[in-house]
Amino acid sequence: MYEIMNDIKKGIQYAFQTQNNMTIAMSGSGHAAMECAVFNTVEPGESVLVAVNGIWGERVAEIAERMGANVHIMVKAPGGVFSNEEIEKALAKHKPVLFFLTHGESSAGLAHPVDGIGDLCRKHNTLFLVDAVASLGASPIFMDQQNIDILYTGSQKALNAPPGTAPISFNERACQKMFNRKTKPVSYLFDMAHLSNYWGNDGQPARLYHHTGPVSGFFSLRESLAILVEKGLEESWRHHREVAGYLWKGLEDMGLKLFIQNKDLRLPSVTTISIPEGYNWREMLQYIMKHHNMEMTGGLGPSTGMVMRLGLMGYNCQKTNADMALAALADALKNCKKSKA
């Protein structure tokens, strides 16, 4: 099993584009990595800054608040983009130990720019935490080059493995903070002092029992990372972008409006469609499920009632699937009731 875990570590390093030694896969979903990142790098009473432009920023803010952090939030409407100037102003004002940003905001279909933010965080002695659950493998991100201190993702999106494991990596700046704490992390299961040994990252000759990991999940994660390495990150990014562009054109040709208007800011793996005027989005999605056996979904958190979401990622990222989705939407537009108002 150690050999499988070592392979996973190497695969995550490639996927994240990092050389960080402190690279592991959490036993749990993306939320496990989210909590691990916050619990290990923040102590009660410390300042945390969270960019909220969808549901994932809301979640991190609540997690940090629950463990006793002094939480400050920057808020924009779903799909809104924070400028580097706005971020630096907030960093200077709140002096946080940690700043959180979602790279792939799946509730809004946004791929948020990352360039330059890591530099600002270093300038203000703040750790930069990035959520790439919905974007890794579909949209470019470079952990070391972009000075991201902590990066995590989930196994079940573009990586195409079953849910239940969550890759995460900490650089040396993050390790200095989390291994020189005054208090223990609030979670034993997510304590990196134990997990670093469990994954063979602490330099100790023996790995001690900490918890029973998801063995089948680790095997499948290793395989999904091996497939990504064989395919190549650049090809994975290109393919997701090409299929997404094909889908976007089909939607616009149908008269539908894409929620993220700037193509460069759209998340290739999750497309958000503004709810067509006069239609009940729940009725449309129920019709598509009933008549096409296809699951699309509505908004999530603050984007509820604003968008319908369509995911094409990993193995499912194919033009044939885009064609089926377009046909299902066209059928729903034709047969679902449209209000006259």
Side-chain angles (χ1 to χ4, degrees):
M1 196 65 212
Y2 289 164
E3 183 179 345
I4 296 297
M5 295 169 76
N6 292 341
D7 287 347
I8 288 171
K9 176 179 175 178
K10 293 174 185 175
I12 296 170
Q13 288 173 325
Y14 171 73
F16 283 10
Q17 290 293 282
T18 183
Q19 298 298 315
N20 293 339
N21 173 60
M22 201 57 65
T23 299
I24 70 170
M26 300 297 299
S27 301
S29 70
H31 280 81
M34 183 186 286
E35 291 202 332
C36 175
V38 176
F39 289 168
N40 281 279
T41 59
V42 180
E43 298 195 61
E46 290 184 326
S47 176
V48 172
L49 178 63
V50 180
V52 178
N53 57 349
I55 191 170
W56 308 120
E58 290 183 342
R59 292 281 171 90
V60 168
E62 180 173 348
I63 288 167
E65 186 178 63
R66 285 183 178 214
M67 54 79 58
N70 184 15
V71 180
H72 307 278
I73 58 173
M74 305 170 62
V75 182
K76 285 187 182 286
V81 174
F82 299 91
S83 70
N84 286 17
E85 290 76 19
E86 289 173 317
I87 292 170
E88 180 162 31
K89 183 177 179 181
L91 290 171
K93 178 180 179 181
H94 300 297
K95 298 177 174 57
V97 298
L98 184 73
F99 170 60
F100 171 85
L101 180 76
T102 309
H103 178 235
E105 181 45 81
S106 56
S107 67
L110 175 77
H112 198 290
V114 174
D115 285 345
I117 300 174
D119 297 330
L120 295 176
C121 287
R122 293 194 174 194
K123 176 181 176 182
H124 291 274
N125 197 29
T126 299
L127 295 177
F128 185 27
L129 168 62
V130 175
D131 179 315
V133 170
S135 58
L136 189 86
S139 186
I141 193 161
F142 304 88
M143 185 173 189
D144 289 355
Q145 182 180 319
Q146 293 174 314
N147 284 332
I148 298 168
D149 297 299
I150 312 160
L151 180 66
Y152 67 85
T153 191
S155 56
Q156 76 278 15
K157 304 293 186 182
L159 285 181
N160 213 60
T165 56
I168 187 169
S169 183
F170 301 81
N171 68 7
E172 188 56 36
R173 290 183 76 234
C175 289
Q176 286 293 323
K177 176 72 169 71
M178 70 181 177
F179 293 136
N180 289 282
R181 300 171 57 96
K182 298 175 183 176
T183 60
K184 291 183 179 180
V186 295
S187 170
Y188 179 87
L189 179 61
F190 296 158
D191 188 342
M192 283 300 298
H194 296 300
L195 291 175
S196 61
N197 174 264
Y198 186 75
W199 280 85
N201 293 344
D202 64 351
Q204 297 300 312
R207 300 191 193 188
L208 304 178
Y209 172 77
H210 175 246
H211 72 282
T212 302
V215 175
S216 56
F218 286 156
F219 273 92
S220 58
L221 177 61
R222 182 207 176 277
E223 183 62 21
S224 72
L225 289 165
I227 291 170
L228 179 63
V229 171
E230 290 172 3
K231 184 174 187 177
L233 267 175
E234 292 82 2
E235 174 58 20
S236 182
W237 297 331
R238 186 205 63 76
H239 178 70
H240 279 84
R241 192 76 186 177
E242 178 184 319
V243 175
Y246 179 83
L247 174 66
W248 299 338
K249 184 180 186 303
L251 292 168
E252 290 175 330
D253 288 347
M254 197 185 300
L256 292 172
K257 181 181 178 182
L258 294 169
F259 185 67
I260 303 296
Q261 297 182 18
N262 186 339
K263 287 185 178 181
D264 293 335
L265 296 177
R266 291 176 191 161
L267 183 60
S269 51
V270 181
T271 293
T272 43
I273 308 162
S274 295
I275 297 169
E277 187 176 352
Y279 285 92
N280 182 313
W281 62 273
R282 287 189 176 90
E283 182 184 347
M284 288 186 66
L285 297 181
Q286 289 168 359
Y287 180 91
I288 290 170
M289 173 62 82
K290 180 178 180 181
H291 295 277
H292 295 270
N293 197 30
M294 184 183 303
E295 185 172 19
M296 299 181 196
T297 188
L300 193 61
S303 69
T304 302
M306 300 173 69
V307 300
M308 298 185 295
R309 298 184 300 142
L310 200 168
L312 287 175
M313 61 192 84
Y315 180 79
N316 284 326
C317 184
Q318 304 292 339
K319 289 182 180 179
T320 52
N321 288 337
D323 285 334
M324 288 192 291
L326 291 168
L329 283 164
D331 188 31
L333 288 170
K334 180 179 178 181
N335 288 286
C336 291
K337 294 178 182 178
K338 183 178 180 182
S339 65
K340 296 180 180 179

